[in-house]
Amino acid sequence: MNLSKSRINLKYKDIDGGRKSIYLDYYKDGKRVRESLRLYLLPETSRKTAAGNKAVMRKAEEIRRSRIEELTAGENGIEIDAAMPDIPLAKVIKDYHTLILERGDKSTAGNIMGMYRAVVAFRGENVLLSSVDVEYCDGLVDFLRNEYHSVHGKLKMTTARAYIYLFSAALNLAVENGLMRRNPLFFVKIHDRITRERPKKLHLSVGEIKLLMDTQCPVISRPQVKQAYLFSIFTGLTAFDIVNLKWKDIKNDNDGRMSVWCQSRKIFIPLSSNALRWLPETSNHRGLIFKGLPKDTEINNILKLWQNKSGIEKRLNFTLARNTFAYLILSTGADVATFCSLMGIASKNAKGYLAMTERKIAPMDEKLKALQLD
């Protein structure tokens, strides 16, 4: 036996968040194999993470020793006794479903049953666990990616990814219970075939904003709905912020500029002339700003009527208004730090917003120019 060809090493790859992914590096049949173990080491910032890393390393070493035994036996023509109790794959998944349900996680349990229906649709419900090999798992990945349709239509990649992870967890449970020697999904390449979808964030264009501004709110007795919605577009305030906004939250700085305090994000947002335009005219600057706003259901009904009246196809809601505020900031060329500051979000959460527009550089005094719609 050539030891240089049978030696199996644990290696590590740096990934996001300071984590390290563990993989095996070895040769099999003259070809180099890099086998991902789907085990991860976390930055040791506490005793808990340090203890967790030790447990992960023990599991990685156990897998490495198992691979050495298999590779050594294969090179010497020795067959390892693979006799294991055989049971239906359906029972393995249902046992996993029962375990999760007993933990009180009804949401995950529901997703497991969705995964089970997809697995049954792949090769039926009579598949034995012994038939679940690399080829089976590879075919299941392709099936979820290209062919499977649930009752809601073609499976989204985000859902397919979740189903694969749940299927892998069910197989891991089978390994722990001595029903399988190893999880065959460890040998299947998944991440470049089923990728996580990032839903595109919708926003109103400048033309659509002007159209809304020029269109009268269809319910004349509820003018505050239009005022509140357009104020949200020019400040990025959420529905919660808008409903609870008080006159005392409007502040003047030493230079005479006005800003609004966002309670949910604990930040001040500068008010453009368009934002100020949609504040209600009143001499009583006490209490709620948008006093008299109806309940959520009625607000949504009025927004739908307003949308139809203006001829805009996008569904009006406060998420769309906040996305539009983000779009207006980015369209001026605001840097990421300025953008995150105005939105009240961490830079790691900005990626979905940054995709809404092509980035361009702009001087600091033009950062908020788009909010004026001049």
Side-chain angles (χ1 to χ4, degrees):
M1 178 178 60
N2 189 337
L3 292 178
S4 64
K5 293 292 183 181
S6 64
R7 186 177 295 115
I8 299 179
N9 297 314
L10 282 175
K11 293 194 175 182
Y12 314 90
K13 179 182 178 181
D14 293 328
I15 55 178
D16 60 296
R19 298 182 302 160
K20 292 182 182 293
S21 173
I22 307 176
Y23 66 95
L24 297 179
D25 187 7
Y26 59 95
Y27 285 88
K28 183 177 181 180
D29 299 327
K31 296 181 180 180
R32 190 172 187 178
V33 177
R34 292 183 177 89
E35 177 188 341
S36 172
L37 301 184
R38 296 185 192 172
L39 298 175
Y40 306 95
L41 298 175
L42 305 178
E44 295 191 357
T45 55
S46 65
R47 291 183 178 179
K48 184 177 179 179
T49 54
N53 285 345
K54 288 182 180 179
V56 168
M57 286 303 301
R58 284 195 296 270
K59 189 170 183 179
E61 283 291 349
E62 181 180 339
I63 296 173
R64 187 177 76 92
R65 285 195 297 270
S66 175
R67 295 294 183 278
I68 290 175
E69 290 176 3
E70 294 168 6
L71 197 58
T72 303
E75 291 178 348
N76 287 277
I78 302 173
E79 291 188 6
I80 297 178
D81 182 14
M84 305 193 80
D86 204 2
I87 62 172
L89 173 61
K91 185 178 186 310
V92 172
I93 297 175
K94 289 179 179 178
D95 286 347
Y96 178 53
H97 172 262
T98 301
L99 176 66
I100 296 301
L101 205 56
E102 288 173 351
R103 293 176 182 173
D105 192 346
K106 294 182 179 179
S107 176
T108 301
N111 289 333
I112 292 171
M113 291 312 296
M115 174 268 288
Y116 171 72
R117 287 189 289 271
V119 169
V120 169
F122 176 47
R123 286 191 184 172
E125 57 184 350
N126 297 319
V127 174
L128 294 176
L129 190 60
S130 59
S131 300
V132 181
D133 52 14
V134 173
E135 181 184 356
Y136 177 94
C137 293
D138 194 68
L140 178 62
V141 171
D142 281 340
F143 177 73
L144 293 178
R145 180 176 183 269
N146 301 319
E147 300 177 40
Y148 182 60
H149 285 68
S150 68
V151 293
H152 303 292
K154 182 136 184 356
L155 200 66
K156 292 183 178 179
M157 288 301 97
T158 305
T159 307
R161 187 185 180 98
Y163 283 1
I164 286 295
Y165 286 156
L166 291 172
F167 184 67
S168 181
L171 296 185
N172 285 338
L173 182 63
V175 172
E176 291 176 13
N177 292 335
L179 302 175
M180 297 184 80
R181 188 171 298 280
R182 61 175 178 264
N183 185 341
L185 266 172
F186 283 150
F187 302 95
V188 178
K189 203 169 185 180
I190 297 171
H191 298 292
D192 61 342
R193 294 160 66 189
I194 298 183
T195 57
R196 182 179 300 164
E197 292 175 328
R198 292 186 178 273
K200 187 177 181 181
K201 292 184 180 294
L202 297 177
H203 63 83
L204 295 172
S205 66
V206 171
E208 289 170 328
I209 298 171
K210 290 181 177 178
L211 195 57
L212 279 180
M213 293 167 68
D214 295 337
T215 303
Q216 185 180 34
C217 184
V219 181
I220 299 176
S221 62
R222 296 292 193 182
Q224 60 270 62
V225 173
K226 177 176 179 177
Q227 294 169 333
Y229 192 77
L230 287 168
F231 190 78
S232 174
I233 284 177
F234 292 109
T235 59
L237 294 181
T238 64
F240 172 84
D241 296 322
I242 290 289
V243 169
N244 295 283
L245 195 63
K246 298 180 179 179
W247 284 105
K248 67 179 182 179
D249 296 324
I250 305 292
K251 305 291 184 182
N252 280 298
D253 62 19
N254 295 332
D255 297 327
R257 298 178 199 165
M258 299 184 73
S259 59
V260 60
W261 173 247
C262 177
Q263 179 63 32
S264 64
R265 291 176 173 79
K266 310 298 181 187
I267 58 170
F268 279 102
I269 300 170
L271 295 177
S272 64
S273 60
N274 262 311
L276 292 170
R277 173 181 173 182
W278 298 105
L279 288 174
E281 293 183 7
T282 178
S283 58
N284 181 19
H285 289 174
R286 293 184 180 180
L288 296 174
I289 291 181
F290 299 104
K291 191 179 298 182
L293 275 175
K295 299 293 184 181
D296 291 348
T297 302
E298 187 176 348
I299 289 178
N300 291 333
N301 289 336
I302 293 173
L303 289 177
K304 186 175 182 179
L305 292 172
W306 188 23
Q307 169 196 334
N308 293 336
K309 187 175 181 180
S310 65
I312 293 174
E313 295 183 357
K314 295 164 188 167
R315 179 171 171 264
L316 298 185
N317 53 49
F318 281 91
T319 299
L320 182 70
R322 179 167 167 78
N323 289 350
T324 302
F325 175 69
Y327 166 75
L328 292 174
I329 298 170
L330 291 170
S331 63
T332 67
D335 56 72
V336 175
T338 300
F339 171 74
C340 292
S341 175
L342 290 169
M343 291 290 289
I345 60 175
S347 57
K348 66 180 181 180
N349 298 325
K351 187 174 181 179
Y353 293 104
L354 298 178
M356 291 194 299
T357 182
E358 292 184 6
R359 305 295 311 287
K360 62 180 181 179
I361 305 301
M364 182 61 72
D365 59 355
E366 294 185 12
K367 298 292 187 189
L368 303 178
K369 186 177 179 181
L371 297 181
Q372 311 298 343
L373 294 191
D374 294 333

